[in-house]
Amino acid sequence: MELMAAVVSGVKMENEGIRKNSTLICAPLMADSVDQMVIDMKKAKASGADLVEVRLDSLKGFNPREDIETLIKRCPLPTLFTYRPKWEGGQYDGDENKRWDALRLAMELGADYIDVELQVVMDFNNYIHGKKHAKCKVIVSSHNYQNTPSVEDLGNLVARIQATGADIVKIATTASDITDVARVLQITVHSQVPIIGMVMGDRGLMSRILCPKFGGYLTFGTLEAGIVSAPGQPTIKDLMNLYNLRQLGPDTKVFGIIGKPVGHSKSPILYNEAFKSVGFNGVYVHLLVDDIASFLRTYSSTDFAGFSCTIPHKEAALKCCDEVDPVAQSIGAVNCIIRRPTDGKLFGCNTDYVGAITAIEDGLRGSHHISSRTGSPLAGKLFVVIGAGGAGKALAYGAKEKGARVVIANRTYDRARELADTVGGDALSLSALESFHPEDGMILANTTSIGMHPKVDETPVSKQTLRSYALVFDAVYTPKITRLLREAEEAGAKIVTGMEMFIGQAYEQFERFTGLPAPKELFRKVMASS
């Protein structure tokens, strides 16, 4: 693979040293004119891509010989030409011979790669009379927009592609569950030939980021968010800067945030930046998980070293752990799972309650920098928790520990009652909270997702109700200032954002993930600018 070696050799990252893997970043270009393609090629080069995929099927008014020659001559990077028909997820809907003619031309005029679909590659080979060009590598591809087959079927598919004489095998499947990715990674890591293995869709994102760890030939990164040639593609900028793709290798440890939804989480920004700052060989990814038990069973290798858990998996996570910290056991929820490197056993703990309670205490004291005086400012206060899920349990437990009188308000009264009984508090339905003000100077803590992006206009209680509270906390941190917090401030209450809880709970998770002290100033800086 001379081209790959040439692209990789001596490439240095700014401030990063030499890249640690040979996986290429390919920018798919979907412009509808040659001029725009050329502009995008320059952008791809500037953004750090190794090659571009020219999607000929996106061009309007295409003059094959002239346009392909122009595109090859004016491209500052190696080129991959794809002319994808509608029947394989592309836009071309014409005569097959014309399509093959364009791909043949690309080979002759100096393309570095062409992509031909498995379904027609034998016909294409006959069409060109087996005349390959030494410089041009043929990628033979198969796209499955329905699902991800079994490992056995994937193995057979790869063998079929290899048998066509492909220089590079490409398989793209679709994730209906995040566990589907494991099968493609397994095929990729054991492949004896250069292979591109992608799992499309949000649940397949991990396949695109972990390519270098599992030996994938290339991964696709878009120039701009949302302009993708297949579902679930990240941007080149994110691959390079957020996920630090150039520095990933077979021994990189994988961490991530398990949730549903999960794309809003800023955890990958925080942890990846922190890993980079201390030179820790890890990568942290979004994990859109439907069934946490199934996820943890599938990704059981010690390479999958630790996870943060968010809504709705915190309570189910506890049942999946081999050992649980006593505090997390009392709360009944786990937000951090560590896989022991010695035996692969799972240890669960809860860092939510420390992060949130500390942030609320600091808010009551009026400063982040005043150390705990004797006793907690929460002692004796009436502390109302909205929500009876994992975060609600953590806040209720933490407030009780600090001597507060706890009230749980929840849409489902029975769940509120159940949690209240556990912590020795009172219960209300959420609707009853509107008329609940036995005293002034209470504390309110929202632990539900009400008001979270994109439903930013929602709030769990009316502005009128907020007048009875001295301090209001919202666990939601996207947006940073929710409608609840904005209206609480207008009603005269002190407010504490979910960002404060997020940073506080992240300190401990980082230390458990890495065994290193958390870079606290960096955490604050990263979250302030994200």
Side-chain angles (χ1 to χ4, degrees), residues 297-320:
R297 269 197 312 274
T298 302
Y299 298 96
S300 58
S301 142
T302 53
D303 276 8
F304 289 83
F307 309 101
S308 311
C309 293
T310 188
I311 295 169
H313 297 304
K314 294 182 186 191
E315 291 152 290
L318 186 139
K319 300 183 183 80
C320 298

PDB file of all heavy atoms in Angstrom, residues 297-320:
ATOM      1  N   ARG A 297     -22.294  -6.534  28.142  1.00  0.00           N
ATOM      2  CA  ARG A 297     -21.950  -7.929  27.814  1.00  0.00           C
ATOM      3  C   ARG A 297     -21.153  -8.001  26.521  1.00  0.00           C
ATOM      4  O   ARG A 297     -20.210  -8.768  26.379  1.00  0.00           O
ATOM      5  CB  ARG A 297     -23.230  -8.758  27.648  1.00  0.00           C
ATOM      6  CG  ARG A 297     -23.738  -9.433  28.910  1.00  0.00           C
ATOM      7  CD  ARG A 297     -24.735 -10.542  28.600  1.00  0.00           C
ATOM      8  NE  ARG A 297     -25.783 -10.157  27.658  1.00  0.00           N
ATOM      9  CZ  ARG A 297     -26.928  -9.559  28.011  1.00  0.00           C
ATOM     10  NH1 ARG A 297     -27.165  -9.268  29.291  1.00  0.00           N
ATOM     11  NH2 ARG A 297     -27.832  -9.249  27.102  1.00  0.00           N
ATOM     12  N   THR A 298     -21.561  -7.188  25.544  1.00  0.00           N
ATOM     13  CA  THR A 298     -20.935  -7.222  24.214  1.00  0.00           C
ATOM     14  C   THR A 298     -19.527  -6.637  24.247  1.00  0.00           C
ATOM     15  O   THR A 298     -18.594  -7.197  23.673  1.00  0.00           O
ATOM     16  CB  THR A 298     -21.813  -6.449  23.198  1.00  0.00           C
ATOM     17  OG1 THR A 298     -23.097  -7.045  23.190  1.00  0.00           O
ATOM     18  CG2 THR A 298     -21.221  -6.492  21.805  1.00  0.00           C
ATOM     19  N   TYR A 299     -19.384  -5.506  24.915  1.00  0.00           N
ATOM     20  CA  TYR A 299     -18.075  -4.833  24.971  1.00  0.00           C
ATOM     21  C   TYR A 299     -17.408  -5.195  26.301  1.00  0.00           C
ATOM     22  O   TYR A 299     -17.264  -4.358  27.188  1.00  0.00           O
ATOM     23  CB  TYR A 299     -18.247  -3.323  24.786  1.00  0.00           C
ATOM     24  CG  TYR A 299     -18.836  -3.010  23.430  1.00  0.00           C
ATOM     25  CD1 TYR A 299     -20.201  -2.798  23.262  1.00  0.00           C
ATOM     26  CD2 TYR A 299     -18.025  -2.990  22.296  1.00  0.00           C
ATOM     27  CE1 TYR A 299     -20.747  -2.554  22.011  1.00  0.00           C
ATOM     28  CE2 TYR A 299     -18.567  -2.737  21.038  1.00  0.00           C
ATOM     29  CZ  TYR A 299     -19.916  -2.525  20.900  1.00  0.00           C
ATOM     30  OH  TYR A 299     -20.450  -2.289  19.653  1.00  0.00           O
ATOM     31  N   SER A 300     -17.026  -6.463  26.426  1.00  0.00           N
ATOM     32  CA  SER A 300     -16.547  -6.981  27.721  1.00  0.00           C
ATOM     33  C   SER A 300     -15.026  -6.988  27.826  1.00  0.00           C
ATOM     34  O   SER A 300     -14.479  -7.343  28.857  1.00  0.00           O
ATOM     35  CB  SER A 300     -17.074  -8.409  27.928  1.00  0.00           C
ATOM     36  OG  SER A 300     -16.649  -9.228  26.851  1.00  0.00           O
ATOM     37  N   SER A 301     -14.340  -6.568  26.757  1.00  0.00           N
ATOM     38  CA  SER A 301     -12.877  -6.541  26.791  1.00  0.00           C
ATOM     39  C   SER A 301     -12.397  -5.429  27.728  1.00  0.00           C
ATOM     40  O   SER A 301     -13.065  -4.400  27.883  1.00  0.00           O
ATOM     41  CB  SER A 301     -12.358  -6.297  25.371  1.00  0.00           C
ATOM     42  OG  SER A 301     -11.247  -5.467  25.371  1.00  0.00           O
ATOM     43  N   THR A 302     -11.234  -5.628  28.332  1.00  0.00           N
ATOM     44  CA  THR A 302     -10.689  -4.589  29.232  1.00  0.00           C
ATOM     45  C   THR A 302     -10.283  -3.332  28.454  1.00  0.00           C
ATOM     46  O   THR A 302      -9.978  -2.304  29.057  1.00  0.00           O
ATOM     47  CB  THR A 302      -9.477  -5.125  30.034  1.00  0.00           C
ATOM     48  OG1 THR A 302      -8.538  -5.679  29.116  1.00  0.00           O
ATOM     49  CG2 THR A 302      -9.889  -6.192  31.033  1.00  0.00           C
ATOM     50  N   ASP A 303     -10.273  -3.418  27.110  1.00  0.00           N
ATOM     51  CA  ASP A 303     -10.018  -2.215  26.302  1.00  0.00           C
ATOM     52  C   ASP A 303     -11.148  -1.209  26.475  1.00  0.00           C
ATOM     53  O   ASP A 303     -10.948  -0.017  26.313  1.00  0.00           O
ATOM     54  CB  ASP A 303      -9.918  -2.581  24.815  1.00  0.00           C
ATOM     55  CG  ASP A 303      -8.529  -3.063  24.452  1.00  0.00           C
ATOM     56  OD1 ASP A 303      -7.716  -3.259  25.375  1.00  0.00           O
ATOM     57  OD2 ASP A 303      -8.260  -3.254  23.253  1.00  0.00           O
ATOM     58  N   PHE A 304     -12.365  -1.701  26.775  1.00  0.00           N
ATOM     59  CA  PHE A 304     -13.505  -0.813  27.059  1.00  0.00           C
ATOM     60  C   PHE A 304     -13.501  -0.592  28.565  1.00  0.00           C
ATOM     61  O   PHE A 304     -14.109  -1.330  29.323  1.00  0.00           O
ATOM     62  CB  PHE A 304     -14.797  -1.438  26.523  1.00  0.00           C
ATOM     63  CG  PHE A 304     -14.853  -1.422  25.018  1.00  0.00           C
ATOM     64  CD1 PHE A 304     -14.231  -2.405  24.267  1.00  0.00           C
ATOM     65  CD2 PHE A 304     -15.482  -0.377  24.349  1.00  0.00           C
ATOM     66  CE1 PHE A 304     -14.249  -2.375  22.874  1.00  0.00           C
ATOM     67  CE2 PHE A 304     -15.502  -0.335  22.961  1.00  0.00           C
ATOM     68  CZ  PHE A 304     -14.880  -1.332  22.222  1.00  0.00           C
ATOM     69  N   ALA A 305     -12.771   0.448  28.965  1.00  0.00           N
ATOM     70  CA  ALA A 305     -12.272   0.520  30.341  1.00  0.00           C
ATOM     71  C   ALA A 305     -13.157   1.259  31.336  1.00  0.00           C
ATOM     72  O   ALA A 305     -13.018   1.060  32.540  1.00  0.00           O
ATOM     73  CB  ALA A 305     -10.878   1.160  30.329  1.00  0.00           C
ATOM     74  N   GLY A 306     -14.053   2.107  30.855  1.00  0.00           N
ATOM     75  CA  GLY A 306     -14.867   2.855  31.817  1.00  0.00           C
ATOM     76  C   GLY A 306     -15.971   3.633  31.134  1.00  0.00           C
ATOM     77  O   GLY A 306     -15.838   4.033  29.978  1.00  0.00           O
ATOM     78  N   PHE A 307     -17.055   3.844  31.852  1.00  0.00           N
ATOM     79  CA  PHE A 307     -18.218   4.515  31.262  1.00  0.00           C
ATOM     80  C   PHE A 307     -18.865   5.467  32.255  1.00  0.00           C
ATOM     81  O   PHE A 307     -18.931   5.183  33.445  1.00  0.00           O
ATOM     82  CB  PHE A 307     -19.273   3.480  30.842  1.00  0.00           C
ATOM     83  CG  PHE A 307     -18.715   2.381  29.987  1.00  0.00           C
ATOM     84  CD1 PHE A 307     -18.423   1.140  30.540  1.00  0.00           C
ATOM     85  CD2 PHE A 307     -18.450   2.589  28.637  1.00  0.00           C
ATOM     86  CE1 PHE A 307     -17.876   0.127  29.762  1.00  0.00           C
ATOM     87  CE2 PHE A 307     -17.912   1.576  27.851  1.00  0.00           C
ATOM     88  CZ  PHE A 307     -17.632   0.342  28.414  1.00  0.00           C
ATOM     89  N   SER A 308     -19.355   6.581  31.729  1.00  0.00           N
ATOM     90  CA  SER A 308     -20.262   7.450  32.478  1.00  0.00           C
ATOM     91  C   SER A 308     -21.670   7.017  32.075  1.00  0.00           C
ATOM     92  O   SER A 308     -21.879   6.637  30.929  1.00  0.00           O
ATOM     93  CB  SER A 308     -20.059   8.909  32.090  1.00  0.00           C
ATOM     94  OG  SER A 308     -18.683   9.249  32.123  1.00  0.00           O
ATOM     95  N   CYS A 309     -22.612   7.082  33.016  1.00  0.00           N
ATOM     96  CA  CYS A 309     -23.999   6.698  32.705  1.00  0.00           C
ATOM     97  C   CYS A 309     -24.911   7.886  32.926  1.00  0.00           C
ATOM     98  O   CYS A 309     -24.838   8.530  33.971  1.00  0.00           O
ATOM     99  CB  CYS A 309     -24.481   5.577  33.619  1.00  0.00           C
ATOM    100  SG  CYS A 309     -23.632   4.049  33.363  1.00  0.00           S
ATOM    101  N   THR A 310     -25.775   8.132  31.953  1.00  0.00           N
ATOM    102  CA  THR A 310     -26.753   9.196  32.130  1.00  0.00           C
ATOM    103  C   THR A 310     -28.150   8.642  31.852  1.00  0.00           C
ATOM    104  O   THR A 310     -28.330   7.436  31.677  1.00  0.00           O
ATOM    105  CB  THR A 310     -26.395  10.422  31.249  1.00  0.00           C
ATOM    106  OG1 THR A 310     -27.262  11.495  31.589  1.00  0.00           O
ATOM    107  CG2 THR A 310     -26.483  10.129  29.764  1.00  0.00           C
ATOM    108  N   ILE A 311     -29.156   9.551  31.851  1.00  0.00           N
ATOM    109  CA  ILE A 311     -30.561   9.168  31.652  1.00  0.00           C
ATOM    110  C   ILE A 311     -30.685   8.280  30.415  1.00  0.00           C
ATOM    111  O   ILE A 311     -30.093   8.606  29.393  1.00  0.00           O
ATOM    112  CB  ILE A 311     -31.422  10.443  31.472  1.00  0.00           C
ATOM    113  CG1 ILE A 311     -31.420  11.272  32.773  1.00  0.00           C
ATOM    114  CG2 ILE A 311     -32.847  10.108  31.082  1.00  0.00           C
ATOM    115  CD1 ILE A 311     -32.009  12.664  32.619  1.00  0.00           C
ATOM    116  N   PRO A 312     -31.402   7.167  30.416  1.00  0.00           N
ATOM    117  CA  PRO A 312     -32.206   6.616  31.509  1.00  0.00           C
ATOM    118  C   PRO A 312     -31.577   5.368  32.151  1.00  0.00           C
ATOM    119  O   PRO A 312     -32.289   4.502  32.624  1.00  0.00           O
ATOM    120  CB  PRO A 312     -33.480   6.211  30.750  1.00  0.00           C
ATOM    121  CG  PRO A 312     -32.936   5.706  29.425  1.00  0.00           C
ATOM    122  CD  PRO A 312     -31.671   6.480  29.150  1.00  0.00           C
ATOM    123  N   HIS A 313     -30.247   5.279  32.132  1.00  0.00           N
ATOM    124  CA  HIS A 313     -29.587   4.003  32.451  1.00  0.00           C
ATOM    125  C   HIS A 313     -28.980   3.896  33.855  1.00  0.00           C
ATOM    126  O   HIS A 313     -28.366   2.881  34.180  1.00  0.00           O
ATOM    127  CB  HIS A 313     -28.485   3.723  31.419  1.00  0.00           C
ATOM    128  CG  HIS A 313     -28.985   3.544  30.025  1.00  0.00           C
ATOM    129  ND1 HIS A 313     -29.942   2.604  29.692  1.00  0.00           N
ATOM    130  CD2 HIS A 313     -28.675   4.174  28.865  1.00  0.00           C
ATOM    131  CE1 HIS A 313     -30.187   2.667  28.394  1.00  0.00           C
ATOM    132  NE2 HIS A 313     -29.440   3.610  27.875  1.00  0.00           N
ATOM    133  N   LYS A 314     -29.113   4.939  34.697  1.00  0.00           N
ATOM    134  CA  LYS A 314     -28.364   4.938  35.961  1.00  0.00           C
ATOM    135  C   LYS A 314     -28.811   3.849  36.931  1.00  0.00           C
ATOM    136  O   LYS A 314     -27.983   3.284  37.652  1.00  0.00           O
ATOM    137  CB  LYS A 314     -28.491   6.314  36.638  1.00  0.00           C
ATOM    138  CG  LYS A 314     -27.810   7.413  35.843  1.00  0.00           C
ATOM    139  CD  LYS A 314     -27.900   8.747  36.549  1.00  0.00           C
ATOM    140  CE  LYS A 314     -27.327   9.841  35.654  1.00  0.00           C
ATOM    141  NZ  LYS A 314     -27.154  11.094  36.358  1.00  0.00           N
ATOM    142  N   GLU A 315     -30.099   3.555  36.927  1.00  0.00           N
ATOM    143  CA  GLU A 315     -30.573   2.521  37.865  1.00  0.00           C
ATOM    144  C   GLU A 315     -30.281   1.121  37.326  1.00  0.00           C
ATOM    145  O   GLU A 315     -29.854   0.235  38.065  1.00  0.00           O
ATOM    146  CB  GLU A 315     -32.070   2.703  38.129  1.00  0.00           C
ATOM    147  CG  GLU A 315     -32.346   3.960  38.932  1.00  0.00           C
ATOM    148  CD  GLU A 315     -33.719   4.544  38.658  1.00  0.00           C
ATOM    149  OE1 GLU A 315     -33.930   5.078  37.541  1.00  0.00           O
ATOM    150  OE2 GLU A 315     -34.567   4.463  39.541  1.00  0.00           O
ATOM    151  N   ALA A 316     -30.475   0.934  36.009  1.00  0.00           N
ATOM    152  CA  ALA A 316     -30.176  -0.368  35.395  1.00  0.00           C
ATOM    153  C   ALA A 316     -28.680  -0.670  35.486  1.00  0.00           C
ATOM    154  O   ALA A 316     -28.275  -1.827  35.627  1.00  0.00           O
ATOM    155  CB  ALA A 316     -30.630  -0.366  33.941  1.00  0.00           C
ATOM    156  N   ALA A 317     -27.845   0.378  35.431  1.00  0.00           N
ATOM    157  CA  ALA A 317     -26.384   0.189  35.492  1.00  0.00           C
ATOM    158  C   ALA A 317     -25.972  -0.501  36.787  1.00  0.00           C
ATOM    159  O   ALA A 317     -25.056  -1.330  36.808  1.00  0.00           O
ATOM    160  CB  ALA A 317     -25.678   1.539  35.369  1.00  0.00           C
ATOM    161  N   LEU A 318     -26.656  -0.154  37.860  1.00  0.00           N
ATOM    162  CA  LEU A 318     -26.315  -0.725  39.174  1.00  0.00           C
ATOM    163  C   LEU A 318     -26.426  -2.258  39.143  1.00  0.00           C
ATOM    164  O   LEU A 318     -25.565  -2.965  39.662  1.00  0.00           O
ATOM    165  CB  LEU A 318     -27.242  -0.137  40.242  1.00  0.00           C
ATOM    166  CG  LEU A 318     -26.931  -0.519  41.684  1.00  0.00           C
ATOM    167  CD1 LEU A 318     -27.102   0.686  42.597  1.00  0.00           C
ATOM    168  CD2 LEU A 318     -27.834  -1.640  42.179  1.00  0.00           C
ATOM    169  N   LYS A 319     -27.467  -2.752  38.482  1.00  0.00           N
ATOM    170  CA  LYS A 319     -27.698  -4.203  38.429  1.00  0.00           C
ATOM    171  C   LYS A 319     -26.661  -4.918  37.551  1.00  0.00           C
ATOM    172  O   LYS A 319     -26.492  -6.124  37.648  1.00  0.00           O
ATOM    173  CB  LYS A 319     -29.102  -4.491  37.888  1.00  0.00           C
ATOM    174  CG  LYS A 319     -30.220  -3.901  38.738  1.00  0.00           C
ATOM    175  CD  LYS A 319     -31.586  -4.291  38.175  1.00  0.00           C
ATOM    176  CE  LYS A 319     -32.730  -3.675  38.953  1.00  0.00           C
ATOM    177  NZ  LYS A 319     -32.987  -2.267  38.594  1.00  0.00           N
ATOM    178  N   CYS A 320     -25.980  -4.165  36.697  1.00  0.00           N
ATOM    179  CA  CYS A 320     -25.011  -4.781  35.772  1.00  0.00           C
ATOM    180  C   CYS A 320     -23.618  -4.911  36.378  1.00  0.00           C
ATOM    181  O   CYS A 320     -22.752  -5.562  35.794  1.00  0.00           O
ATOM    182  CB  CYS A 320     -24.895  -3.928  34.507  1.00  0.00           C
ATOM    183  SG  CYS A 320     -26.433  -3.789  33.602  1.00  0.00           S
TER     184      CYS A 320
END
